[in-house]
Amino acid sequence: MTPRIKNIVTKRPGILKINWADGGQSTVDLSGWIASGGELLTPLLSTDVWKTATIADYGASVEWDSQNLEIDAYHPYQIVKNQRLAEN
């Protein structure tokens, strides 16, 4: 089943608080994902760009205005799982 996003709150660049459609809630650090994207994802380090994040595709992704940048919901979902495993 593909995870769906119900609501997001932007924190500092790289950090999203996500309310999932299934009722769960996560705070995900996307800094590693941004770093792996090189120059393409560098605009996401800007507070002005980061705060434009919106839910797209009926909760299947997050996109950033005027930057043509997007991440599907599965990636933050998986990143959160990996971050929790690393903490234990």
Side-chain angles (χ1 to χ4, degrees):
M1 182 171 130
T2 303
R4 296 280 178 183
I5 299 170
K6 180 179 178 183
N7 184 313
I8 57 172
V9 176
T10 57
K11 300 296 185 180
R12 66 174 174 77
I15 307 294
L16 284 179
K17 183 177 177 182
I18 301 174
N19 292 313
W20 300 98
D22 69 1
Q25 185 180 69
S26 305
T27 299
V28 61
D29 183 349
L30 296 176
S31 300
W33 173 74
I34 294 168
S36 73
E39 289 184 31
L40 176 67
L41 298 180
T42 299
L44 295 177
L45 297 174
S46 161
T47 301
D48 290 338
V49 173
W50 188 255
K51 68 182 179 183
T52 67
T54 58
I55 300 167
D57 303 317
Y58 304 99
S61 64
V62 175
E63 66 182 17
W64 288 267
D65 290 345
S66 74
Q67 297 299 317
N68 203 23
L69 297 170
E70 184 174 0
I71 187 170
D72 62 90
Y74 180 78
H75 280 86
Y77 180 82
Q78 190 61 47
I79 290 168
V80 166
K81 284 178 65 174
N82 292 343
Q83 289 170 353
R84 286 182 184 152
L85 287 174
E87 291 172 358
N88 294 326

